[in-house]
PDB file of all heavy atoms in Angstrom:
ATOM      1  N   LEU Z   1       0.829  -1.211   0.000  1.00 96.00           N
ATOM      2  CA  LEU Z   1       0.000   0.000   0.000  1.00 96.00           C
ATOM      3  C   LEU Z   1       0.864   1.263   0.000  1.00 96.00           C
ATOM      4  O   LEU Z   1       0.592   2.210  -0.750  1.00 96.00           O
ATOM      5  CB  LEU Z   1      -0.926   0.003   1.208  1.00 96.00           C
ATOM      6  CG  LEU Z   1      -2.138  -0.946   1.140  1.00 96.00           C
ATOM      7  CD1 LEU Z   1      -2.740  -1.171   2.519  1.00 96.00           C
ATOM      8  CD2 LEU Z   1      -3.190  -0.393   0.183  1.00 96.00           C
ATOM      9  N   ARG Z   2       1.900   1.276   0.819  1.00 96.00           N
ATOM     10  CA  ARG Z   2       2.778   2.449   0.869  1.00 96.00           C
ATOM     11  C   ARG Z   2       3.433   2.696  -0.481  1.00 96.00           C
ATOM     12  O   ARG Z   2       3.504   3.835  -0.953  1.00 96.00           O
ATOM     13  CB  ARG Z   2       3.839   2.258   1.956  1.00 96.00           C
ATOM     14  CG  ARG Z   2       3.302   2.303   3.379  1.00 96.00           C
ATOM     15  CD  ARG Z   2       4.428   2.317   4.406  1.00 96.00           C
ATOM     16  NE  ARG Z   2       3.915   2.195   5.762  1.00 96.00           N
ATOM     17  CZ  ARG Z   2       3.988   1.092   6.500  1.00 96.00           C
ATOM     18  NH1 ARG Z   2       4.588   0.016   6.025  1.00 96.00           N
ATOM     19  NH2 ARG Z   2       3.478   1.070   7.719  1.00 96.00           N
ATOM     20  N   ALA Z   3       3.900   1.630  -1.088  1.00 96.00           N
ATOM     21  CA  ALA Z   3       4.546   1.769  -2.397  1.00 96.00           C
ATOM     22  C   ALA Z   3       3.543   2.219  -3.453  1.00 96.00           C
ATOM     23  O   ALA Z   3       3.844   3.065  -4.298  1.00 96.00           O
ATOM     24  CB  ALA Z   3       5.185   0.439  -2.791  1.00 96.00           C
ATOM     25  N   ALA Z   4       2.334   1.670  -3.393  1.00 96.00           N
ATOM     26  CA  ALA Z   4       1.311   2.002  -4.392  1.00 96.00           C
ATOM     27  C   ALA Z   4       0.884   3.454  -4.306  1.00 96.00           C
ATOM     28  O   ALA Z   4       0.703   4.127  -5.327  1.00 96.00           O
ATOM     29  CB  ALA Z   4       0.102   1.079  -4.215  1.00 96.00           C
ATOM     30  N   PHE Z   5       0.707   3.949  -3.079  1.00 95.00           N
ATOM     31  CA  PHE Z   5       0.251   5.332  -2.919  1.00 95.00           C
ATOM     32  C   PHE Z   5       1.363   6.341  -3.188  1.00 95.00           C
ATOM     33  O   PHE Z   5       1.093   7.539  -3.285  1.00 95.00           O
ATOM     34  CB  PHE Z   5      -0.340   5.535  -1.523  1.00 95.00           C
ATOM     35  CG  PHE Z   5      -1.780   5.138  -1.424  1.00 95.00           C
ATOM     36  CD1 PHE Z   5      -2.141   3.855  -1.035  1.00 95.00           C
ATOM     37  CD2 PHE Z   5      -2.787   6.026  -1.756  1.00 95.00           C
ATOM     38  CE1 PHE Z   5      -3.465   3.475  -0.959  1.00 95.00           C
ATOM     39  CE2 PHE Z   5      -4.125   5.663  -1.693  1.00 95.00           C
ATOM     40  CZ  PHE Z   5      -4.474   4.377  -1.294  1.00 95.00           C
ATOM     41  N   ALA Z   6       2.572   5.863  -3.342  1.00 95.00           N
ATOM     42  CA  ALA Z   6       3.679   6.756  -3.699  1.00 95.00           C
ATOM     43  C   ALA Z   6       3.802   6.921  -5.207  1.00 95.00           C
ATOM     44  O   ALA Z   6       4.590   7.747  -5.676  1.00 95.00           O
ATOM     45  CB  ALA Z   6       4.984   6.215  -3.130  1.00 95.00           C
ATOM     46  N   LYS Z   7       3.012   6.153  -5.959  1.00 92.00           N
ATOM     47  CA  LYS Z   7       3.074   6.199  -7.425  1.00 92.00           C
ATOM     48  C   LYS Z   7       1.899   6.981  -7.986  1.00 92.00           C
ATOM     49  O   LYS Z   7       0.841   7.077  -7.373  1.00 92.00           O
ATOM     50  CB  LYS Z   7       3.079   4.775  -7.991  1.00 92.00           C
ATOM     51  CG  LYS Z   7       4.285   3.952  -7.563  1.00 92.00           C
ATOM     52  CD  LYS Z   7       4.183   2.536  -8.086  1.00 92.00           C
ATOM     53  CE  LYS Z   7       5.377   1.695  -7.635  1.00 92.00           C
ATOM     54  NZ  LYS Z   7       5.274   0.301  -8.096  1.00 92.00           N
ATOM     55  N   SER Z   8       2.094   7.516  -9.183  1.00 92.00           N
ATOM     56  CA  SER Z   8       1.020   8.277  -9.827  1.00 92.00           C
ATOM     57  C   SER Z   8       0.049   7.368 -10.572  1.00 92.00           C
ATOM     58  O   SER Z   8      -1.115   7.729 -10.785  1.00 92.00           O
ATOM     59  CB  SER Z   8       1.608   9.302 -10.805  1.00 92.00           C
ATOM     60  OG  SER Z   8       2.403   8.647 -11.786  1.00 92.00           O
ATOM     61  N   ASP Z   9       0.495   6.199 -10.969  1.00 94.00           N
ATOM     62  CA  ASP Z   9      -0.348   5.253 -11.696  1.00 94.00           C
ATOM     63  C   ASP Z   9      -1.397   4.659 -10.760  1.00 94.00           C
ATOM     64  O   ASP Z   9      -1.082   4.234  -9.641  1.00 94.00           O
ATOM     65  CB  ASP Z   9       0.531   4.144 -12.288  1.00 94.00           C
ATOM     66  CG  ASP Z   9      -0.278   3.163 -13.122  1.00 94.00           C
ATOM     67  OD1 ASP Z   9      -1.407   3.507 -13.514  1.00 94.00           O
ATOM     68  OD2 ASP Z   9       0.224   2.057 -13.373  1.00 94.00           O
ATOM     69  N   ALA Z  10      -2.638   4.607 -11.227  1.00 96.00           N
ATOM     70  CA  ALA Z  10      -3.726   4.097 -10.385  1.00 96.00           C
ATOM     71  C   ALA Z  10      -3.703   2.580 -10.253  1.00 96.00           C
ATOM     72  O   ALA Z  10      -4.214   2.037  -9.268  1.00 96.00           O
ATOM     73  CB  ALA Z  10      -5.071   4.543 -10.953  1.00 96.00           C
ATOM     74  N   GLY Z  11      -3.117   1.881 -11.212  1.00 96.00           N
ATOM     75  CA  GLY Z  11      -3.130   0.422 -11.203  1.00 96.00           C
ATOM     76  C   GLY Z  11      -2.593  -0.200  -9.926  1.00 96.00           C
ATOM     77  O   GLY Z  11      -3.264  -1.054  -9.320  1.00 96.00           O
ATOM     78  N   PRO Z  12      -1.403   0.192  -9.477  1.00 96.00           N
ATOM     79  CA  PRO Z  12      -0.884  -0.386  -8.234  1.00 96.00           C
ATOM     80  C   PRO Z  12      -1.774  -0.107  -7.023  1.00 96.00           C
ATOM     81  O   PRO Z  12      -1.906  -0.958  -6.137  1.00 96.00           O
ATOM     82  CB  PRO Z  12       0.483   0.296  -8.090  1.00 96.00           C
ATOM     83  CG  PRO Z  12       0.891   0.657  -9.479  1.00 96.00           C
ATOM     84  CD  PRO Z  12      -0.393   1.018 -10.155  1.00 96.00           C
ATOM     85  N   ARG Z  13      -2.400   1.071  -6.991  1.00 96.00           N
ATOM     86  CA  ARG Z  13      -3.284   1.379  -5.866  1.00 96.00           C
ATOM     87  C   ARG Z  13      -4.509   0.471  -5.877  1.00 96.00           C
ATOM     88  O   ARG Z  13      -4.953  -0.016  -4.828  1.00 96.00           O
ATOM     89  CB  ARG Z  13      -3.693   2.858  -5.893  1.00 96.00           C
ATOM     90  CG  ARG Z  13      -2.530   3.807  -5.704  1.00 96.00           C
ATOM     91  CD  ARG Z  13      -2.960   5.210  -5.330  1.00 96.00           C
ATOM     92  NE  ARG Z  13      -3.775   5.881  -6.325  1.00 96.00           N
ATOM     93  CZ  ARG Z  13      -3.295   6.462  -7.426  1.00 96.00           C
ATOM     94  NH1 ARG Z  13      -1.994   6.420  -7.683  1.00 96.00           N
ATOM     95  NH2 ARG Z  13      -4.094   7.081  -8.265  1.00 96.00           N
ATOM     96  N   LEU Z  14      -5.051   0.251  -7.075  1.00 96.00           N
ATOM     97  CA  LEU Z  14      -6.195  -0.648  -7.189  1.00 96.00           C
ATOM     98  C   LEU Z  14      -5.853  -2.043  -6.698  1.00 96.00           C
ATOM     99  O   LEU Z  14      -6.594  -2.642  -5.907  1.00 96.00           O
ATOM    100  CB  LEU Z  14      -6.653  -0.727  -8.658  1.00 96.00           C
ATOM    101  CG  LEU Z  14      -7.607   0.334  -9.166  1.00 96.00           C
ATOM    102  CD1 LEU Z  14      -7.774   0.206 -10.675  1.00 96.00           C
ATOM    103  CD2 LEU Z  14      -8.962   0.207  -8.484  1.00 96.00           C
ATOM    104  N   ARG Z  15      -4.734  -2.577  -7.151  1.00 97.00           N
ATOM    105  CA  ARG Z  15      -4.339  -3.935  -6.762  1.00 97.00           C
ATOM    106  C   ARG Z  15      -4.042  -4.028  -5.270  1.00 97.00           C
ATOM    107  O   ARG Z  15      -4.415  -5.010  -4.611  1.00 97.00           O
ATOM    108  CB  ARG Z  15      -3.126  -4.375  -7.593  1.00 97.00           C
ATOM    109  CG  ARG Z  15      -3.449  -4.609  -9.064  1.00 97.00           C
ATOM    110  CD  ARG Z  15      -2.279  -5.247  -9.786  1.00 97.00           C
ATOM    111  NE  ARG Z  15      -1.127  -4.352  -9.884  1.00 97.00           N
ATOM    112  CZ  ARG Z  15      -0.949  -3.462 -10.863  1.00 97.00           C
ATOM    113  NH1 ARG Z  15      -1.860  -3.346 -11.822  1.00 97.00           N
ATOM    114  NH2 ARG Z  15       0.124  -2.694 -10.894  1.00 97.00           N
ATOM    115  N   ALA Z  16      -3.390  -3.015  -4.732  1.00 97.00           N
ATOM    116  CA  ALA Z  16      -3.054  -3.029  -3.309  1.00 97.00           C
ATOM    117  C   ALA Z  16      -4.305  -2.961  -2.445  1.00 97.00           C
ATOM    118  O   ALA Z  16      -4.413  -3.666  -1.426  1.00 97.00           O
ATOM    119  CB  ALA Z  16      -2.120  -1.870  -2.993  1.00 97.00           C
ATOM    120  N   ILE Z  17      -5.249  -2.136  -2.844  1.00 97.00           N
ATOM    121  CA  ILE Z  17      -6.502  -1.997  -2.087  1.00 97.00           C
ATOM    122  C   ILE Z  17      -7.297  -3.301  -2.127  1.00 97.00           C
ATOM    123  O   ILE Z  17      -7.790  -3.784  -1.097  1.00 97.00           O
ATOM    124  CB  ILE Z  17      -7.335  -0.825  -2.640  1.00 97.00           C
ATOM    125  CG1 ILE Z  17      -6.702   0.511  -2.218  1.00 97.00           C
ATOM    126  CG2 ILE Z  17      -8.783  -0.899  -2.154  1.00 97.00           C
ATOM    127  CD1 ILE Z  17      -7.302   1.715  -2.908  1.00 97.00           C
ATOM    128  N   GLU Z  18      -7.424  -3.871  -3.306  1.00 96.00           N
ATOM    129  CA  GLU Z  18      -8.189  -5.112  -3.438  1.00 96.00           C
ATOM    130  C   GLU Z  18      -7.531  -6.257  -2.660  1.00 96.00           C
ATOM    131  O   GLU Z  18      -8.212  -7.086  -2.063  1.00 96.00           O
ATOM    132  CB  GLU Z  18      -8.332  -5.468  -4.920  1.00 96.00           C
ATOM    133  CG  GLU Z  18      -9.261  -4.512  -5.664  1.00 96.00           C
ATOM    134  CD  GLU Z  18      -9.198  -4.672  -7.177  1.00 96.00           C
ATOM    135  OE1 GLU Z  18      -8.345  -5.461  -7.648  1.00 96.00           O
ATOM    136  OE2 GLU Z  18      -9.989  -4.010  -7.880  1.00 96.00           O
ATOM    137  N   GLY Z  19      -6.202  -6.284  -2.641  1.00 95.00           N
ATOM    138  CA  GLY Z  19      -5.496  -7.329  -1.918  1.00 95.00           C
ATOM    139  C   GLY Z  19      -5.581  -7.206  -0.410  1.00 95.00           C
ATOM    140  O   GLY Z  19      -5.431  -8.192   0.315  1.00 95.00           O
ATOM    141  N   ALA Z  20      -5.826  -5.999   0.067  1.00 96.00           N
ATOM    142  CA  ALA Z  20      -5.850  -5.753   1.514  1.00 96.00           C
ATOM    143  C   ALA Z  20      -7.264  -5.691   2.083  1.00 96.00           C
ATOM    144  O   ALA Z  20      -7.443  -5.465   3.279  1.00 96.00           O
ATOM    145  CB  ALA Z  20      -5.129  -4.438   1.825  1.00 96.00           C
ATOM    146  N   ALA Z  21      -8.266  -5.915   1.251  1.00 95.00           N
ATOM    147  CA  ALA Z  21      -9.653  -5.666   1.647  1.00 95.00           C
ATOM    148  C   ALA Z  21     -10.099  -6.440   2.882  1.00 95.00           C
ATOM    149  O   ALA Z  21     -10.887  -5.941   3.683  1.00 95.00           O
ATOM    150  CB  ALA Z  21     -10.588  -5.976   0.476  1.00 95.00           C
ATOM    151  N   ASP Z  22      -9.604  -7.666   3.055  1.00 95.00           N
ATOM    152  CA  ASP Z  22     -10.108  -8.504   4.153  1.00 95.00           C
ATOM    153  C   ASP Z  22      -9.144  -8.583   5.336  1.00 95.00           C
ATOM    154  O   ASP Z  22      -9.327  -9.409   6.232  1.00 95.00           O
ATOM    155  CB  ASP Z  22     -10.407  -9.911   3.640  1.00 95.00           C
ATOM    156  CG  ASP Z  22      -9.147 -10.642   3.185  1.00 95.00           C
ATOM    157  OD1 ASP Z  22      -8.154  -9.952   2.856  1.00 95.00           O
ATOM    158  OD2 ASP Z  22      -9.151 -11.885   3.144  1.00 95.00           O
ATOM    159  N   ILE Z  23      -8.139  -7.732   5.351  1.00 96.00           N
ATOM    160  CA  ILE Z  23      -7.148  -7.792   6.429  1.00 96.00           C
ATOM    161  C   ILE Z  23      -7.596  -6.894   7.581  1.00 96.00           C
ATOM    162  O   ILE Z  23      -7.744  -5.685   7.434  1.00 96.00           O
ATOM    163  CB  ILE Z  23      -5.762  -7.359   5.921  1.00 96.00           C
ATOM    164  CG1 ILE Z  23      -5.288  -8.315   4.816  1.00 96.00           C
ATOM    165  CG2 ILE Z  23      -4.756  -7.327   7.059  1.00 96.00           C
ATOM    166  CD1 ILE Z  23      -3.986  -7.901   4.158  1.00 96.00           C
ATOM    167  N   ASP Z  24      -7.802  -7.505   8.728  1.00 96.00           N
ATOM    168  CA  ASP Z  24      -8.312  -6.795   9.908  1.00 96.00           C
ATOM    169  C   ASP Z  24      -7.152  -6.098  10.617  1.00 96.00           C
ATOM    170  O   ASP Z  24      -6.520  -6.664  11.517  1.00 96.00           O
ATOM    171  CB  ASP Z  24      -9.002  -7.799  10.831  1.00 96.00           C
ATOM    172  CG  ASP Z  24      -9.723  -7.126  11.995  1.00 96.00           C
ATOM    173  OD1 ASP Z  24      -9.497  -5.918  12.217  1.00 96.00           O
ATOM    174  OD2 ASP Z  24     -10.501  -7.807  12.684  1.00 96.00           O
ATOM    175  N   ASP Z  25      -6.880  -4.869  10.194  1.00 96.00           N
ATOM    176  CA  ASP Z  25      -5.760  -4.121  10.752  1.00 96.00           C
ATOM    177  C   ASP Z  25      -6.051  -2.631  10.621  1.00 96.00           C
ATOM    178  O   ASP Z  25      -6.405  -2.153   9.541  1.00 96.00           O
ATOM    179  CB  ASP Z  25      -4.471  -4.478  10.011  1.00 96.00           C
ATOM    180  CG  ASP Z  25      -3.260  -3.745  10.570  1.00 96.00           C
ATOM    181  OD1 ASP Z  25      -2.659  -4.238  11.541  1.00 96.00           O
ATOM    182  OD2 ASP Z  25      -2.928  -2.666  10.037  1.00 96.00           O
ATOM    183  N   ALA Z  26      -5.908  -1.888  11.711  1.00 96.00           N
ATOM    184  CA  ALA Z  26      -6.267  -0.465  11.720  1.00 96.00           C
ATOM    185  C   ALA Z  26      -5.411   0.359  10.757  1.00 96.00           C
ATOM    186  O   ALA Z  26      -5.914   1.278  10.103  1.00 96.00           O
ATOM    187  CB  ALA Z  26      -6.138   0.095  13.134  1.00 96.00           C
ATOM    188  N   GLU Z  27      -4.128   0.035  10.653  1.00 96.00           N
ATOM    189  CA  GLU Z  27      -3.261   0.797   9.754  1.00 96.00           C
ATOM    190  C   GLU Z  27      -3.594   0.507   8.294  1.00 96.00           C
ATOM    191  O   GLU Z  27      -3.572   1.403   7.451  1.00 96.00           O
ATOM    192  CB  GLU Z  27      -1.793   0.465  10.036  1.00 96.00           C
ATOM    193  CG  GLU Z  27      -0.785   1.288   9.240  1.00 96.00           C
ATOM    194  CD  GLU Z  27      -0.799   2.782   9.592  1.00 96.00           C
ATOM    195  OE1 GLU Z  27      -1.456   3.159  10.579  1.00 96.00           O
ATOM    196  OE2 GLU Z  27      -0.152   3.551   8.860  1.00 96.00           O
ATOM    197  N   VAL Z  28      -3.941  -0.731   8.008  1.00 97.00           N
ATOM    198  CA  VAL Z  28      -4.399  -1.075   6.656  1.00 97.00           C
ATOM    199  C   VAL Z  28      -5.657  -0.287   6.321  1.00 97.00           C
ATOM    200  O   VAL Z  28      -5.802   0.274   5.230  1.00 97.00           O
ATOM    201  CB  VAL Z  28      -4.664  -2.592   6.539  1.00 97.00           C
ATOM    202  CG1 VAL Z  28      -5.433  -2.908   5.259  1.00 97.00           C
ATOM    203  CG2 VAL Z  28      -3.355  -3.367   6.562  1.00 97.00           C
ATOM    204  N   VAL Z  29      -6.574  -0.210   7.273  1.00 97.00           N
ATOM    205  CA  VAL Z  29      -7.823   0.525   7.064  1.00 97.00           C
ATOM    206  C   VAL Z  29      -7.544   2.007   6.810  1.00 97.00           C
ATOM    207  O   VAL Z  29      -8.213   2.649   5.997  1.00 97.00           O
ATOM    208  CB  VAL Z  29      -8.761   0.341   8.278  1.00 97.00           C
ATOM    209  CG1 VAL Z  29      -9.926   1.330   8.227  1.00 97.00           C
ATOM    210  CG2 VAL Z  29      -9.290  -1.081   8.312  1.00 97.00           C
ATOM    211  N   ARG Z  30      -6.547   2.551   7.484  1.00 96.00           N
ATOM    212  CA  ARG Z  30      -6.198   3.958   7.259  1.00 96.00           C
ATOM    213  C   ARG Z  30      -5.773   4.199   5.806  1.00 96.00           C
ATOM    214  O   ARG Z  30      -6.164   5.194   5.199  1.00 96.00           O
ATOM    215  CB  ARG Z  30      -5.063   4.372   8.201  1.00 96.00           C
ATOM    216  CG  ARG Z  30      -4.771   5.870   8.182  1.00 96.00           C
ATOM    217  CD  ARG Z  30      -3.703   6.231   9.189  1.00 96.00           C
ATOM    218  NE  ARG Z  30      -2.382   5.785   8.767  1.00 96.00           N
ATOM    219  CZ  ARG Z  30      -1.618   6.462   7.900  1.00 96.00           C
ATOM    220  NH1 ARG Z  30      -2.043   7.592   7.358  1.00 96.00           N
ATOM    221  NH2 ARG Z  30      -0.424   6.000   7.572  1.00 96.00           N
ATOM    222  N   TYR Z  31      -5.043   3.264   5.249  1.00 95.00           N
ATOM    223  CA  TYR Z  31      -4.654   3.393   3.842  1.00 95.00           C
ATOM    224  C   TYR Z  31      -5.852   3.209   2.910  1.00 95.00           C
ATOM    225  O   TYR Z  31      -5.962   3.890   1.892  1.00 95.00           O
ATOM    226  CB  TYR Z  31      -3.543   2.389   3.498  1.00 95.00           C
ATOM    227  CG  TYR Z  31      -2.165   2.972   3.680  1.00 95.00           C
ATOM    228  CD1 TYR Z  31      -1.480   2.811   4.864  1.00 95.00           C
ATOM    229  CD2 TYR Z  31      -1.555   3.713   2.664  1.00 95.00           C
ATOM    230  CE1 TYR Z  31      -0.214   3.353   5.057  1.00 95.00           C
ATOM    231  CE2 TYR Z  31      -0.296   4.263   2.834  1.00 95.00           C
ATOM    232  CZ  TYR Z  31       0.360   4.086   4.032  1.00 95.00           C
ATOM    233  OH  TYR Z  31       1.605   4.635   4.203  1.00 95.00           O
ATOM    234  N   LEU Z  32      -6.735   2.297   3.262  1.00 97.00           N
ATOM    235  CA  LEU Z  32      -7.953   2.139   2.467  1.00 97.00           C
ATOM    236  C   LEU Z  32      -8.757   3.437   2.484  1.00 97.00           C
ATOM    237  O   LEU Z  32      -9.359   3.831   1.479  1.00 97.00           O
ATOM    238  CB  LEU Z  32      -8.795   0.984   3.010  1.00 97.00           C
ATOM    239  CG  LEU Z  32      -8.179  -0.416   2.944  1.00 97.00           C
ATOM    240  CD1 LEU Z  32      -9.142  -1.439   3.537  1.00 97.00           C
ATOM    241  CD2 LEU Z  32      -7.814  -0.786   1.527  1.00 97.00           C
ATOM    242  N   GLY Z  33      -8.757   4.101   3.636  1.00 97.00           N
ATOM    243  CA  GLY Z  33      -9.440   5.389   3.749  1.00 97.00           C
ATOM    244  C   GLY Z  33      -8.835   6.448   2.828  1.00 97.00           C
ATOM    245  O   GLY Z  33      -9.554   7.302   2.309  1.00 97.00           O
ATOM    246  N   ARG Z  34      -7.534   6.390   2.631  1.00 97.00           N
ATOM    247  CA  ARG Z  34      -6.894   7.330   1.706  1.00 97.00           C
ATOM    248  C   ARG Z  34      -7.442   7.146   0.291  1.00 97.00           C
ATOM    249  O   ARG Z  34      -7.550   8.104  -0.477  1.00 97.00           O
ATOM    250  CB  ARG Z  34      -5.380   7.128   1.702  1.00 97.00           C
ATOM    251  CG  ARG Z  34      -4.664   7.680   2.905  1.00 97.00           C
ATOM    252  CD  ARG Z  34      -3.160   7.519   2.792  1.00 97.00           C
ATOM    253  NE  ARG Z  34      -2.611   8.231   1.647  1.00 97.00           N
ATOM    254  CZ  ARG Z  34      -1.318   8.233   1.311  1.00 97.00           C
ATOM    255  NH1 ARG Z  34      -0.448   7.553   2.063  1.00 97.00           N
ATOM    256  NH2 ARG Z  34      -0.891   8.898   0.264  1.00 97.00           N
ATOM    257  N   GLY Z  35      -7.791   5.917  -0.020  1.00 97.00           N
ATOM    258  CA  GLY Z  35      -8.341   5.642  -1.346  1.00 97.00           C
ATOM    259  C   GLY Z  35      -9.682   6.307  -1.598  1.00 97.00           C
ATOM    260  O   GLY Z  35     -10.066   6.540  -2.752  1.00 97.00           O
ATOM    261  N   LEU Z  36     -10.411   6.632  -0.533  1.00 98.00           N
ATOM    262  CA  LEU Z  36     -11.719   7.271  -0.685  1.00 98.00           C
ATOM    263  C   LEU Z  36     -11.620   8.654  -1.305  1.00 98.00           C
ATOM    264  O   LEU Z  36     -12.583   9.138  -1.916  1.00 98.00           O
ATOM    265  CB  LEU Z  36     -12.420   7.375   0.675  1.00 98.00           C
ATOM    266  CG  LEU Z  36     -12.745   6.065   1.387  1.00 98.00           C
ATOM    267  CD1 LEU Z  36     -13.346   6.343   2.753  1.00 98.00           C
ATOM    268  CD2 LEU Z  36     -13.693   5.207   0.546  1.00 98.00           C
TER     269      LEU Z  36
END
């Protein structure tokens, strides 16, 4: 997620978000929130 959000291309962000969707972790959720 950190690497994906450091890039301008949307593709890595999409893949990182989809891959992290079911991980129960507050810091992961914070990054998902950035995607909003």
